[in-house]
Amino acid sequence: IAIGRPRFPKWRRQRFAGNPRSGQADAALVAAATGFPANIDWGRRPVAQLVTNLGGMKAVGGNDLQLLYEYDDTVESLCRDIGDARDHVHLLVYIFADDEVGTQVVEALGRAAGRGVSCRVMIDALGSRPWRSRVIAAMQARGIDAREVLPVRPLRWRPARADLRNHRKLTIIDGQIGYIGSQNIVAANFRPGIRNQELVARATGPIVAQLQSVFLSDWYLETEQQLAGDALFPAARQGGDVPLQLPSGPDYPVSGSERLTVELIYGARERVVITTPYFIPDEGLIEAIQSAVLRGVDVRLIVSLVQDQLLVGLAQRSFYAEMLRAGVRLFLYEDRLLHAKHITVDDDLATVGSSNVDIRSFTLNAEANLVIYAPGEVRRIRAVEERYFAGSRELTPEDWAGRPFMRKIAENLARLISPLL
């Protein structure tokens, strides 16, 4: 009764089965894949096939990608694009606060709605709990169609599980610009004494149809409204030459984030860098990491020394000794809470998105991750990783073995409940 299965209620699964994606979305995705085939190296095609089977969307070429790693720059870019919107703005986010950042975005959306732009926003009911009533009221007062995602109302008909959340961070503007990454609509220092460090990708090109498809499917699951119109899926235009793919879809029965992460590590030839704020791996991921090191792959894990969740932090640290014994190089980012979530593999493959490397993201949350098959873009992410390394302290087995005995006890006790965190 307290924990249950990692599945949505029966009514929601039936709703998804009845309409996971509209015919218009399917036609747009086929047209994008046909008109802009992805030029993917032969050795990475198994990854692309796995991603296709996980989310039902093929890799597409002809995209442009901009990486945003400065918090304020991301907010300014988003508000600027909203300011240029002509038909619609779709925004899905886990945390939407009514602080200065949230107010800035709400005002940009309100001005767009005042111009006749259709603005639709979904915020996770639990992630945005402290602010959701005020935020939704403020948006609705400005003509924005704002909805709670997965409201937790146990005494009402069709309740939602409190532990199954929509953790995606997506924005689609006029079907032509898309944002995906780790950053919520909240101030970087919304937790006292902690400032977040994020990574967001701004994309243009055929990949935006895939982001739109995920948003529209989630919108249908929450509202039972089937949105349609030519402006939702305008004819795809080439933005650049970057092959991209989205493995994420709503309520799919197979855990896309976990299988993709494991496959990426098994496919590594020289180097893997995993950046995540929360690291609670399962046995399959641990074995993949150990096997990579045994193959001679340089495996590096970047996690945050700054922690915002006590139990999660303790459980996470209980895996450090195991990683160090396996030969993983472990870096503790010291300055901020490193909330960015991305993986680079060798010099030609990367993912950026909302999924942590933990059991919750693998089995309970709805996530959105972008797979990047472009050496040039991977080099840019590697440059971001170098900044992390410069701001980190590398943990050694000797240092870790010398921590206090009572801390070891607390970490191992937290590990016992790690699948529930």
Side-chain angles (χ1 to χ4, degrees):
I1 293 174
I3 300 168
R5 298 178 179 177
R7 303 175 66 190
F8 284 111
K10 182 179 179 181
W11 67 266
R12 187 178 175 90
R13 298 197 306 273
Q14 289 175 337
R15 183 182 294 179
F16 170 73
N19 196 344
R21 198 151 59 201
S22 71
Q24 184 187 21
D26 280 336
L29 295 175
V30 170
T34 303
F36 299 89
N39 182 19
I40 298 175
D41 181 80
W42 183 86
R44 299 307 187 190
R45 290 178 188 173
V47 175
Q49 186 60 54
L50 171 67
V51 174
T52 299
N53 290 334
L54 287 173
M57 294 181 284
K58 294 182 177 181
V60 290
N63 303 288
D64 182 65
L65 197 66
Q66 178 185 4
L67 296 174
L68 301 166
Y69 52 85
E70 293 294 345
Y71 205 99
D72 294 341
D73 289 349
T74 301
V75 176
E76 291 176 9
S77 176
L78 177 63
C79 289
R80 185 167 54 250
D81 285 335
I82 292 173
D84 293 335
R86 293 294 175 264
D87 185 80
H88 65 270
V89 177
H90 292 160
L91 192 151
L92 167 61
V93 70
Y94 183 64
I95 297 175
F96 201 129
D98 65 346
D99 57 16
E100 63 272 22
V101 170
T103 299
Q104 185 178 349
V105 175
V106 168
E107 289 177 351
L109 289 166
R111 290 191 293 270
R115 301 192 306 270
V117 175
S118 298
C119 297
R120 302 178 181 94
V121 176
M122 290 188 286
I123 64 174
D124 186 83
L126 195 61
S128 302
R129 181 178 57 82
W131 314 280
R132 67 183 181 222
S133 297
R134 297 190 299 272
V135 166
I136 288 177
M139 286 194 280
Q140 290 177 343
R142 291 166 170 80
I144 303 160
D145 193 348
R147 309 293 182 107
E148 284 184 82
V149 176
L150 297 169
V152 181
R153 297 166 181 152
L155 300 182
R156 298 188 181 185
W157 183 58
R158 289 184 170 178
R161 288 263 303 278
D163 58 338
L164 301 179
R165 310 315 311 161
N166 194 316
H167 194 241
R168 309 190 214 272
K169 290 94 175 167
L170 295 175
T171 304
I172 301 93
I173 298 167
D174 290 343
Q176 297 177 337
I177 300 171
Y179 286 80
I180 181 171
S182 63
Q183 187 166 327
N184 290 290
I185 307 298
V186 65
N189 58 348
F190 76 100
R191 294 185 179 91
I194 297 176
R195 185 174 178 86
N196 282 20
Q197 180 76 48
E198 310 284 356
L199 185 67
V200 174
R202 178 188 182 273
T204 58
I207 190 63
V208 179
Q210 297 188 12
L211 302 176
Q212 184 81 287
S213 172
V214 172
F215 178 91
L216 295 181
S217 294
D218 278 359
W219 183 266
Y220 174 80
L221 289 174
E222 299 304 325
T223 68
E224 292 188 276
Q225 294 180 2
Q226 179 68 268
L227 301 178
D230 293 340
L232 296 176
F233 294 98
R237 294 183 296 180
Q238 182 156 346
D241 58 358
V242 181
L244 299 172
Q245 193 174 17
L246 196 68
S248 311
D251 295 12
Y252 283 106
V254 177
S255 176
S257 296
E258 178 182 24
R259 297 207 179 190
L260 175 59
T261 302
V262 169
E263 175 67 18
L264 292 176
I265 295 171
Y266 274 120
R269 299 182 291 265
E270 297 177 358
R271 173 166 147 154
V272 173
V273 179
I274 302 170
T275 302
T276 180
Y278 312 117
F279 181 74
I280 300 180
D282 60 7
E283 288 301 318
L285 181 56
I286 291 172
E287 289 180 4
I289 291 173
Q290 292 170 337
S291 295
V293 176
L294 290 172
R295 294 195 312 272
V297 175
D298 178 7
V299 180
R300 303 186 185 193
L301 175 63
I302 309 173
V303 293
S304 186
L305 181 63
V306 178
Q307 292 287 329
D308 62 340
Q309 299 185 37
L310 176 61
L311 278 177
V312 174
L314 288 170
Q316 171 173 304
R317 290 192 289 272
S318 74
F319 291 94
Y320 289 177
E322 196 168 355
M323 292 295 101
L324 292 168
R325 283 196 303 269
V328 175
R329 295 184 65 184
L330 206 158
F331 294 83
L332 304 177
Y333 188 74
E334 296 182 299
D335 184 39
R336 303 177 180 183
L337 172 61
L338 185 56
H339 192 250
K341 310 146 197 301
H342 49 92
I343 299 172
T344 58
V345 179
D346 300 329
D347 294 318
D348 61 342
L349 187 60
T351 66
V352 174
S354 66
S355 179
N356 301 305
V357 182
D358 64 1
I359 296 172
R360 168 165 294 279
S361 290
F362 288 167
T363 62
L364 298 176
N365 290 342
E367 306 284 1
N369 299 292
L370 192 65
V371 185
I372 305 166
Y373 306 91
E377 302 306 320
V378 174
R379 283 195 295 270
R380 292 185 179 90
I381 300 175
R382 292 277 292 270
V384 174
E385 293 169 347
E386 290 300 325
R387 296 188 184 96
Y388 299 159
F389 292 137
S392 299
R393 171 170 59 89
E394 185 169 2
L395 188 65
T396 66
E398 294 75 21
D399 290 340
W400 193 239
R403 70 196 190 281
F405 177 75
M406 291 308 298
R407 187 180 297 173
K408 297 178 184 179
I409 295 295
E411 290 164 358
N412 287 323
L413 287 174
R415 182 164 176 163
L416 293 174
I417 60 170
S418 62
L420 309 178
L421 296 177

